[in-house]
Amino acid sequence: MDSAMARVEVDGKCSIFPARPSLPQQCKLTYSDLQLLYVHYTQKCLFFSTPTSCTIQDFESMVERLKKSLSETLVYFYPLAGRLKTCDGEVYIDCNDSGAEFIEASAPDLCLAQVMGDSIPHQLFPFNGVFSINGHFLPLLVVQVTKLIDGIVLAFIINHSLADGSSNWHFINSWAQLCREPLSIPLFPLHTRCFTTTSPVKINLQHNNISKQRFDNFTPPPLSEKRFHFNEQIISLLKKEANEALKEKSIYISSFQALCAHIWQGITRARGLSPNEETRFCFSMNCRSKMVPPLPYSYFGNALQGVGASITTKELLSGSRASIALMLHRTIASHQDAQIRAELDKPPRFPDLKDFLSTNSIVVGSSHRFPIYNNDFGWGSPISVSSGWANKFDGKLTVYPGRDKSGSIDIEVCLLPQTMNALEFDTHFICPFND
């Protein structure tokens, strides 16, 4: 499906406010939040099938339920209804109930099968190309519900300086719960910004860094994206292979670490790098459980830090999958409370997406542990999940749990077209145990 040919019509927009006024307060952004001011708003969507008998009136009723329950959800997640503000170098969320944006749209010529492919129409997502810094004047949360011939697409666009993936799905799970059963949410969010040092973090934001351009004429980058499904059997074999090769039996390599080793080798082969070129594999690590004491799962904000391992192409491809999995395991295991707190004491660094274009890097985002398929808004569980073009570059991996909930993993892989073509024809990558 060529996204440029998709006809998605915006039928209406409105603001959604918390059902009850929030107490005026200011949530100061932490070091981890501030580093994401210059990346795009996050874009995720869920696909739902609807009966063929679903009428316009049925759809309108669903939309009203979404609006009403979103208003109730914003009572608990009130920062999402605010705006960013900067005063004396400190950036914070002004929880002023300015509201979230809700967009109703329709794609009268499209069905689910067309939009759930490897190239999702970017028109299903608003705020394409918009950076989080622009939350100073734009809504921090935007929702778009699009009616298709045989289903709906519910897109969530969230300012990345407010929340990471764990927080985003906590919000979405809570909203689904209130839409389905309007009582209360099972887990209240913690809005105290405690993933930080004791000293306030100040930055120098130049006035011209805050652009009011809406990027309405967004064009997706010249990249190829494809979703690869790894079933439970393949993942179990990769984990078994890695752990059986260990000499230190006190170490345990996880399924995901073993899978990442396989993917790193496959993409590096497809890139055709010279033997002495360095390649890097990076994780956006959720630090909640690694701190002492641990941050609660309910912490609403960004508790992410980047960790990674580097190696030459020759070393990577001549090594076994098990040895590469062990290197990734040690990289992750070594990043504990002391290292996390040391990172928090550093001045904020603002990454540029262009930094990744020539580094031979692979960067992993999202998680196979997120409760994505638990989001029943009252018309059944989603049949798939996807992301928009936000924060995409050559080597970006977006990870999801498999819909079958058996331990399978889906990974959206974003690469240069020639690299993707080579990867798709790499039989060792597609079938790692069919030598």
Side-chain angles (χ1 to χ4, degrees):
M1 178 67 197
D2 185 352
S3 62
M5 298 176 62
R7 185 164 68 95
V8 179
E9 301 171 348
V10 173
D11 301 319
K13 295 182 181 181
C14 68
S15 294
I16 304 293
F17 307 99
R20 294 172 291 284
S22 306
L23 292 175
Q25 55 187 295
Q26 298 173 349
C27 298
K28 292 181 181 177
L29 297 189
T30 69
Y31 167 88
S32 188
D33 300 323
L34 290 168
Q35 291 192 107
L36 297 166
L37 284 172
Y38 292 102
V39 302
H40 298 141
Y41 277 60
T42 59
Q43 296 177 318
K44 293 289 185 290
C45 74
L46 296 173
F47 301 92
F48 299 88
S49 61
T50 55
T52 54
S53 59
C54 183
T55 65
I56 293 295
Q57 290 74 25
D58 293 331
F59 177 70
E60 291 175 349
S61 176
M62 294 163 68
V63 168
E64 288 307 309
R65 283 177 60 185
L66 287 170
K67 289 179 179 179
K68 183 177 180 180
S69 56
L70 176 57
S71 178
E72 289 289 340
T73 310
L74 290 175
V75 171
Y76 305 100
F77 293 85
Y78 52 85
L80 290 171
R83 297 292 184 272
L84 296 183
K85 192 170 183 178
T86 300
C87 183
D88 295 328
E90 291 188 75
V91 187
Y92 58 88
I93 309 163
D94 186 6
C95 302
N96 58 8
D97 289 352
S98 291
E101 185 171 297
F102 192 98
I103 301 173
E104 298 174 55
S106 57
D109 304 321
L110 296 178
C111 61
L112 285 167
Q114 291 173 289
V115 301
M116 290 197 308
D118 293 323
S119 182
I120 183 170
H122 69 264
Q123 296 92 333
L124 294 174
F125 298 94
F127 278 34
N128 284 294
V130 177
F131 292 91
S132 293
I133 185 71
N134 291 324
H136 282 79
F137 63 91
L138 292 176
L140 303 179
L141 166 67
V142 186
V143 174
Q144 179 171 313
V145 54
T146 305
K147 185 181 187 304
L148 309 178
I149 295 172
D150 57 350
I152 65 171
V153 182
L154 190 56
F156 317 89
I157 293 79
I158 300 176
N159 190 294
H160 208 336
S161 69
L162 261 71
D164 57 17
S166 296
S167 294
N168 286 350
W169 289 110
H170 180 194
F171 158 69
I172 296 167
N173 290 160
S174 301
W175 180 17
Q177 171 81 14
L178 286 176
C179 190
R180 187 176 68 253
E181 302 172 9
L183 295 174
S184 179
I185 61 174
L187 181 65
F188 285 69
L190 173 65
H191 293 298
T192 303
R193 314 301 269 200
C194 45
F195 186 63
T196 186
T197 57
T198 55
S199 303
V201 184
K202 294 192 176 186
I203 59 175
N204 181 23
L205 285 181
Q206 300 297 323
H207 179 73
N208 58 7
N209 284 344
I210 305 176
S211 168
K212 291 195 175 184
Q213 186 180 359
R214 287 292 295 267
F215 298 92
D216 292 324
N217 296 319
F218 173 79
T219 300
L223 298 167
S224 292
E225 188 171 59
K226 182 175 177 62
R227 178 174 299 207
F228 293 91
H229 177 76
F230 296 92
N231 62 37
E232 188 272 339
Q233 181 183 10
I234 290 294
I235 293 172
S236 294
L237 288 172
L238 288 169
K239 181 173 70 171
K240 180 181 178 182
E241 174 189 70
N243 283 290
E244 286 183 345
L246 288 176
K247 295 180 179 178
E248 300 175 54
K249 296 306 178 183
S250 60
I251 295 176
Y252 179 77
I253 294 173
S254 71
S255 299
F256 189 61
Q257 291 163 2
L259 177 59
C260 286
H262 173 65
I263 291 173
W264 191 7
Q265 288 185 323
I267 290 177
T268 303
R269 281 196 304 272
R271 280 174 165 166
L273 304 179
S274 62
N276 293 325
E277 284 190 81
E278 189 176 83
T279 176
R280 183 169 176 80
F281 199 99
C282 308
F283 299 90
S284 292
M285 178 182 288
N286 181 355
C287 298
R288 287 170 175 79
S289 64
K290 288 181 167 286
M291 298 195 70
V292 180
L295 283 179
Y297 171 80
S298 61
Y299 175 75
F300 191 81
N302 288 285
L304 301 176
Q305 287 184 352
V307 297
S310 298
I311 194 172
T312 66
T313 299
K314 180 179 179 180
E315 292 170 320
L316 177 73
L317 298 184
S318 62
S320 66
R321 274 193 300 242
S323 66
I324 303 305
L326 178 59
M327 180 173 62
L328 293 176
H329 167 83
R330 286 175 169 160
T331 298
I332 295 170
S334 65
H335 200 75
Q336 298 294 333
D337 183 76
Q339 290 76 21
I340 292 169
R341 294 185 185 278
E343 284 294 315
L344 292 176
D345 285 329
K346 295 179 180 179
R349 184 182 71 86
F350 303 110
D352 188 328
L353 295 182
K354 298 186 184 69
D355 295 344
F356 297 105
L357 295 181
S358 60
T359 58
N360 301 329
S361 292
I362 298 171
V363 180
V364 178
S366 191
S367 172
H368 61 295
R369 301 186 186 278
F370 288 157
I372 289 170
Y373 291 100
N374 296 351
N375 292 292
D376 180 356
F377 286 82
W379 47 82
S381 299
I383 61 172
S384 190
V385 60
S386 190
S387 60
W389 278 105
N391 306 310
K392 293 290 178 69
F393 47 84
D394 176 31
K396 176 66 181 290
L397 307 185
T398 306
V399 182
Y400 303 114
R403 184 176 179 242
D404 54 21
K405 298 183 180 180
S406 67
S408 63
I409 295 176
D410 290 332
I411 300 187
E412 287 177 352
V413 179
C414 195
L415 296 169
L416 295 175
Q418 63 271 24
T419 306
M420 182 66 77
N421 185 63
L423 187 67
E424 290 185 89
F425 282 93
D426 183 350
T427 55
H428 186 59
F429 175 76
I430 302 299
C431 304
F433 294 100
N434 288 358
D435 294 332

